[in-house]
Amino acid sequence: MKVGIVGGGPAGLYLAALLKDADPSHEITVVERNPPDATFGWGVVFSEETLSELRDADYPTYLAFEEHLVRWNSLDIQYRGEVIRSHGHGFSAISRKVLLSLLQQRCRELGVELRFHEELDGLDRFAGCDLVVGADGVNSTVRARHARDLRPALHRHPTRYAWFGTDLVFDAFTFIFRETAHGLFQVHAYPFDGATSTFIVETTEATWQKAGLDGMTEQESLAFCEELFADHLVGHELLSNRSLWTSFVTVRNRSWHVGKVVLVGDSAATAHFSIGSGTKLAMEGAVALAKAFQAHPGDLGAAFAVYELERQPAVERFQQAALDSAGYFETVSRYLGFAPEQFAFNLLTRSGRVTHLELTRRDPALVNRVDRWFAGVGGVPAPVPALVPLELGGLEVPNRVVLGEAGRGAGLVVSELVAVSEHARLTPESAGLYDDHWQRHWAQLADQSHEAGERVAVRLGHAGRRGATRPSRLARDWPLPPTEAWGLLAPTAAPYTPRSQAPRAMTGQDEADVLEDFAAAARRAAAAGVDVLLVDCSDGYLLHSFLSPLTNPASDRTRYPLEVFRAVREAWPADRPLGVRLAATDWLPGGLQPDDAVAFAATLAAEGCALVDVAAAGVVPRGASDYRRGYLVPFADRLRNEAGVATIAGGRVTTLDEVSTIVAAGRADLVRLDTGPYYSSS
């Protein structure tokens, strides 16, 4: 093949070397606009897994890298005057300039033509090529020229960072957190040769502006950061190499190829630097593309298909982990009240790739310290966090596991929706708490659970416009025949689905009647021995439909749900926890947003709410959603650490290890464990 590669970064150079090594008859030209010794970063990081892949892909290049790698397996977290060190994190680093030099040397040895100082206005230079590769980075001109077919999506992160170097050689990957009058600054630092370390300073846009960095020159901002981190630099200097403040951009593309053009490296996909995977992804992508051409010589279409099928899912997983990690650093201020043990554990598990069990394998001593702190015990072995009791409003919940079924050892058993009246039912089979029969039913269940050492929580609610439907095992949201149905209530007369029964818009009298139904049901729950009561504001039921802008045009959408909560609080014993089940988002434009949920949860907490069971979506039957593993955890995290209320997280959480990870990291206080073959979406 005759191959033209735009961009002389790690992806473009490594791909050129791999293709040429596989078939010396290829004519390969790499065009780079910068000089050969130009690089605007400092060091790059590789995991041992990535190095193994590079070793297998091209052994001579790997051996050249080996001579220059700096290795470490420790990670330091410097937080509020304490340094917590974690072991077992095997990484290697190399100077980016050295990396590029070695790749250039390998290309020249193999006969690749390297053209530097050459700016391309278009791709006419490669008109006669069989293959054109866009390896020209985040601001790819190749990608821009083919945007219509590649359909790129660029997400600019809300923080600012500057990529400095320093002549201080750290002996571990180091995170530094520095609180100032302007706000929080954090550092990602690591060694990459015997004399220099990377020193990335990051902060929020607001803090960056308050500190006046938006008006400083490159040298002034370096001096500012040098003074800010003087205690950590211990007399050493910061170094600049076009170390300008910028915002990271996560690049995605629907397709990585069009015609004979294909993307690799940062032009195809980027991952936030906080998990150190940018160059890793670029070079692994080059390996995958080279292998695809070796497997399908002369067949571009087949090679591109194999390349995308192999790499896109892997890259998407890394990007999600990187987004979770970046999200942590973008909102880390919410954790500044944490004890050092919990702060460190939260940071180490931020991307979801490291769990309590995995960290135990890497660093049992640190996890033992975290477990002992979490359980509040001294030098004795501590239980895993999932099995540590929780004090909740005067009630001891024996462990952190939440289930929907009694008799299985959960700390808290939470019911499905329990109707406050016959007309509040979802289906004819729905449980209730509106007569003596139902009170006896819940008293019996409470007694059985208490004998098993469990605590019982009831979700008290009104189905609203989702009511009067057939049981979900027969058909979800399918209305009952008119002869079997009952009248529905909602903020407006809009039906839930086009086939649903239309509700009646509630009048003042309706609101008063439903308010009394909630209070009466709360008294019955108390008499039955229920331990925790949750006022249901989720799943598109009545109170959720009051809260959501999609179903309630009123300006004060929290008014009525708050009135209901207050009425239940008056009816419920003061020595038992009262909470809510709350939709944290509608996952739709114009719908309920996490900021709304945080504000409402803070109001509820001030009114005596002890617990929020976090849900999402459901207020309308349509809409996008993200039901990945632990999808409710970020919302529970925000409500817990911004609104200051205990939370239940969930969403495809299936192991006790995940429960331990979530609660020990302070992202939630209890976790719903999904144990069946199918998972609920709410």
Side-chain angles (χ1 to χ4, degrees):
M1 290 190 301
K2 189 172 183 180
V3 182
I5 298 177
V6 184
L13 292 171
Y14 198 44
L15 176 64
L18 293 173
L19 290 175
K20 190 69 173 177
D21 186 49
D23 187 346
S25 69
H26 290 324
E27 297 178 35
I28 303 174
T29 302
V30 177
V31 176
E32 167 60 45
R33 65 181 178 180
N34 292 305
D37 59 348
T39 180
F40 305 115
W42 293 93
V44 297
V45 179
F46 295 117
S47 67
E48 293 304 315
E49 180 184 13
T50 299
L51 286 174
S52 296
E53 186 168 350
L54 299 184
R55 179 193 60 208
D56 295 341
D58 185 37
Y59 193 59
T61 301
Y62 169 78
L63 288 179
F65 288 171
E66 269 283 309
E67 296 181 18
H68 300 274
L69 289 174
V70 173
R71 285 189 162 90
W72 71 90
N73 82 337
S74 298
L75 188 153
D76 283 352
I77 300 165
Q78 300 187 23
Y79 166 71
R80 293 200 164 176
E82 184 166 349
V83 178
I84 294 182
R85 172 159 290 193
S86 178
H87 300 285
H89 309 276
F91 286 98
S92 301
I94 187 171
S95 162
R96 181 175 172 85
K97 184 174 289 189
V98 170
L99 174 74
L100 292 174
S101 176
L102 293 174
L103 290 173
Q104 291 166 14
Q105 180 180 335
R106 178 64 171 153
C107 285
R108 291 190 181 99
E109 290 172 354
L110 292 168
V112 174
E113 182 184 3
L114 302 180
R115 307 279 300 188
F116 294 97
H117 301 282
E118 190 167 325
E119 189 82 47
L120 294 180
D121 295 329
L123 299 181
D124 292 344
R125 189 189 195 287
F126 298 127
C129 289
D130 303 297
L131 171 67
V132 178
V133 180
D136 49 342
V138 174
N139 300 312
S140 170
T141 57
V142 176
R143 184 184 66 231
R145 283 185 170 274
H146 296 280
R148 181 175 177 181
D149 296 293
L150 301 175
R151 288 177 287 178
L154 308 181
H155 167 64
R156 186 171 294 277
H157 290 253
T159 56
R160 293 276 184 164
Y161 73 96
W163 201 296
F164 297 109
T166 176
D167 59 354
L168 169 64
V169 180
F170 290 92
D171 62 352
F173 198 113
T174 302
F175 293 105
I176 302 171
F177 297 87
R178 180 80 164 82
E179 297 172 65
T180 73
H182 312 297
L184 180 70
F185 288 82
Q186 59 244 11
V187 168
H188 314 243
Y190 54 87
F192 63 82
D193 61 25
T196 326
S197 298
T198 291
F199 197 90
I200 304 172
V201 182
E202 184 183 22
T203 190
T204 64
E205 178 82 18
T207 299
W208 179 71
Q209 291 183 0
K210 286 179 183 176
L213 287 161
D214 55 334
M216 292 186 191
T217 65
E218 179 180 346
Q219 200 57 41
E220 287 171 341
S221 73
L222 182 145
F224 174 91
C225 292
E226 205 170 63
E227 181 180 356
L228 180 62
F229 294 103
D231 292 344
H232 306 278
L233 291 168
V234 290
H236 289 266
E237 295 180 312
L238 287 184
L239 310 171
S240 183
N241 178 10
R242 289 192 63 187
S243 300
L244 306 175
W245 291 90
T246 187
S247 296
F248 190 85
V249 177
T250 294
V251 176
R252 289 189 172 99
N253 290 275
R254 183 69 62 87
S255 174
W256 289 355
H257 79 278
V258 53
K260 65 178 182 180
V261 176
V262 65
L263 302 180
V264 70
D266 285 355
S267 60
T270 61
H272 192 265
F273 59 80
S274 62
I275 64 170
S277 61
T279 305
K280 158 199 165 63
L281 289 182
M283 296 185 71
E284 287 178 347
V287 172
L289 186 55
K291 285 182 177 179
F293 282 117
Q294 292 172 38
H296 300 276
D299 189 342
L300 289 185
F304 290 160
V306 169
Y307 167 56
E308 290 190 2
L309 283 172
E310 177 188 338
R311 285 303 296 165
Q312 281 188 333
V315 168
E316 286 171 3
R317 288 193 296 271
F318 264 99
Q319 284 186 315
Q320 187 57 62
L323 285 170
D324 290 339
S325 176
Y328 165 85
F329 287 104
E330 290 160 9
T331 59
V332 66
S333 294
R334 74 167 69 126
Y335 307 120
L336 291 181
F338 281 13
E341 293 85 352
Q342 188 169 50
F343 187 90
F345 186 82
N346 185 297
L347 185 152
L348 292 169
T349 60
R350 67 193 182 281
S351 71
R353 295 186 299 167
V354 176
T355 66
H356 182 274
L357 189 61
E358 170 61 18
L359 193 57
T360 302
R361 184 187 68 79
R362 298 185 188 188
D363 192 347
L366 175 62
V367 175
N368 183 46
R369 176 181 171 182
V370 172
D371 289 353
R372 286 188 285 108
W373 169 83
F374 191 79
V377 299
V380 300
V384 295
L387 302 181
V388 173
L390 171 68
E391 288 295 324
L392 183 68
L395 175 75
E396 182 178 90
V397 181
N399 62 60
R400 303 307 180 101
V401 177
V402 174
L403 291 174
E405 183 179 349
R408 301 182 64 181
L412 189 66
V413 179
V414 179
S415 74
E416 292 298 321
L417 184 74
V418 173
V420 298
S421 69
E422 281 192 282
H423 286 180
R425 291 175 296 164
L426 182 63
T427 77
E429 299 179 0
S430 294
L433 251 172
Y434 46 80
D435 59 24
D436 292 343
H437 160 74
W438 281 114
Q439 184 173 319
R440 290 192 297 272
H441 169 83
W442 288 106
Q444 182 179 8
L445 286 179
D447 289 343
Q448 292 172 351
S449 293
H450 293 158
E451 288 176 7
E454 300 168 329
R455 302 291 180 261
V456 178
V458 162
R459 281 174 54 191
L460 201 63
H462 191 299
R465 66 188 193 140
R466 292 194 71 176
T469 61
R470 298 177 188 273
S472 59
R473 70 177 187 278
L474 301 177
R476 190 174 179 86
D477 291 312
W478 196 266
L480 291 169
T483 55
E484 301 176 25
W486 51 87
L488 305 181
L489 297 173
T492 70
Y496 187 70
T497 72
R499 65 174 178 264
S500 297
Q501 178 191 156
R504 185 175 80 246
M506 291 179 70
T507 64
Q509 186 59 52
D510 290 328
E511 290 187 1
D513 292 343
V514 171
L515 207 66
E516 178 51 38
D517 289 338
F518 269 94
R523 288 189 285 269
R524 289 187 180 278
V530 170
D531 300 296
V532 181
L533 203 60
L534 299 171
V535 177
D536 200 291
C537 301
S538 68
D539 296 327
Y541 301 143
L542 181 65
L543 297 184
H544 185 186
S545 64
F546 268 94
L547 288 172
S548 174
L550 298 174
T551 48
N552 184 9
S555 58
D556 187 3
R557 289 182 292 275
T558 64
R559 174 194 59 82
Y560 188 61
L562 191 56
E563 288 179 11
V564 170
F565 181 84
R566 288 169 175 160
V568 171
R569 184 193 61 197
E570 292 299 317
W572 183 247
D575 60 349
R576 296 189 215 178
L578 175 62
V580 298
R581 177 173 165 86
L582 180 64
T585 179
D586 288 334
W587 262 326
L588 282 168
L592 190 69
Q593 301 299 320
D595 286 348
D596 303 322
V598 169
F600 186 49
T603 300
L604 290 169
E607 295 276 350
C609 178
L611 179 67
V612 174
D613 184 5
V614 180
V619 77
V620 293
R622 58 185 170 82
S625 56
D626 180 9
Y627 293 136
R628 62 191 174 97
R629 184 174 291 274
Y631 64 89
L632 293 174
V633 175
F635 303 119
D637 186 342
R638 282 202 62 186
L639 294 176
R640 180 185 191 273
N641 294 302
E642 293 182 27
V645 61
T647 58
I648 300 175
R652 302 186 188 276
V653 176
T654 58
T655 68
L656 284 179
D657 178 39
E658 291 172 283
V659 176
S660 289
T661 305
I662 293 165
V663 299
R667 299 185 181 102
D669 301 273
L670 295 160
V671 181
R672 179 176 285 99
L673 197 62
D674 289 318
T675 57
Y678 303 101
Y679 303 130
S680 168
S681 64
S682 57

